Amino acid sequence: MSIRRLSVVEAKAVCNVRAAAVMDAASFSFHELRRQASSYLTDKIRSARLALTDVTPTQLMTEEATSGDATPPNVKTMSLIARQAFEIDEYVRIAAILHKKLARFDRRQWRESYKALLLLEHLLTHGPRSVASEFQRDREVVQQMAAFQHIDESTGFNWGMTVKSKSERVLKLLERGPFLEEERERALKIAREIKGFGSFNLAKSSGGSNSRYQERRRREGCVDDGVKESLLSRHEPETEAEERHHHHHHHHPFHGFAQQLPEAMLLLSQ
């Protein structure tokens, strides 16, 4: 009797596990479908705005970087925005978006202001010098953000301390004193070091692949024309192989790559 009862309990447990698995799968499929639909609509709206209005890609990029979702703006995006900020028209558009996000601090929509603060920090250290003067009027709101308190209940992460730390840093940069100059110089130095390191590696890689070919050409330069003609007529198959090797080298997918500035370096260079 006890064995029969145990089997029934086990059967119910198995059914419950299977039902939970089915519900989880359905829930995941629904959320994934909703995410894809949202992404599709966002892309369509973005394309329509670009086609039908005077909005620029940089303006859309700035809006997305300071949106209210949980995804922080990445360094590549902020670097692109900072570079575009040196163009006066783009600068006005970028500044307008940030001023709007920092017009007042809504604790319920704190992510928008916080992400605007992240982008402002990057512009202060990587963008035009005029940014520090432009955002003097937003100092009061940034000071309010320093008093923000919020702990994520699901993860226990203290977002209040993170926002406070970033606010204090931006306020110090907005003082337009030695700290701002030091941070701009440090950012420029890091960008130059990364750029130089990448160029060194690319040049080293390109130089190693050409050394044998260049050495052979140098030796051939010491042979007079009569001997060259004799060698060419006597060793025609070898010459054809060398031509094929040269042709392959010239059309190699990385040929000339050392002369091009890598995208990552271009983004970081000022």
Side-chain angles (χ1 to χ4, degrees), residues 107-131:
R107 296 178 181 273
R108 294 170 300 179
Q109 301 293 332
W110 63 272
R111 292 186 185 277
E112 289 189 12
S113 299
Y114 174 63
K115 292 168 72 171
L117 201 64
L118 293 176
L119 180 55
L120 175 57
E121 177 198 19
H122 193 85
L123 289 172
L124 285 166
T125 55
H126 294 77
R129 290 184 176 276
S130 57
V131 172

Side-chain angles (χ1 to χ4, degrees), residues 184-216:
R184 287 182 64 88
E185 183 63 29
R186 188 170 71 90
L188 183 59
K189 182 180 179 181
I190 292 174
R192 286 173 175 170
E193 289 177 351
I194 295 175
K195 177 182 175 181
F197 180 75
S199 299
F200 171 77
N201 282 345
L202 289 171
K204 182 179 179 181
S205 175
S206 176
S209 63
N210 292 332
S211 60
R212 291 182 62 186
Y213 177 76
Q214 292 173 348
E215 176 63 20
R216 187 177 187 88

Side-chain angles (χ1 to χ4, degrees), residues 22-32:
V22 171
M23 291 180 63
D24 289 341
S27 177
F28 174 78
S29 299
F30 173 75
H31 287 300
E32 178 65 17

Side-chain angles (χ1 to χ4, degrees), residues 4-111:
R4 176 64 177 172
R5 183 179 180 81
L6 183 62
S7 298
V8 171
V9 171
E10 289 179 344
K12 289 183 177 180
V14 170
C15 289
N16 290 336
V17 171
R18 288 180 176 176
V22 171
M23 291 180 63
D24 289 341
S27 177
F28 174 78
S29 299
F30 173 75
H31 287 300
E32 178 65 17
L33 180 62
R34 186 172 64 177
R35 186 192 67 79
Q36 293 180 1
S38 176
S39 178
Y40 176 80
L41 290 175
T42 300
D43 290 340
K44 289 299 181 182
I45 293 173
R46 184 189 298 111
S47 300
R49 290 185 64 190
L50 287 171
L52 303 176
T53 69
D54 66 342
V55 69
T56 66
T58 302
Q59 191 173 350
L60 288 178
M61 195 183 308
T62 305
E63 291 177 354
E64 293 170 2
T66 57
S67 64
D69 60 33
T71 305
N74 58 61
V75 175
K76 180 179 179 180
T77 297
M78 292 193 295
S79 296
L80 282 170
I81 295 172
R83 289 185 62 82
Q84 290 299 314
F86 287 93
E87 301 292 334
I88 183 62
D89 181 61
E90 298 292 5
Y91 175 87
V92 172
R93 294 169 184 265
I94 294 167
I97 295 172
L98 291 181
H99 283 313
K100 182 179 179 181
K101 300 289 183 178
L102 296 172
R104 69 184 186 90
F105 180 54
D106 187 348
R107 296 178 181 273
R108 294 170 300 179
Q109 301 293 332
W110 63 272
R111 292 186 185 277

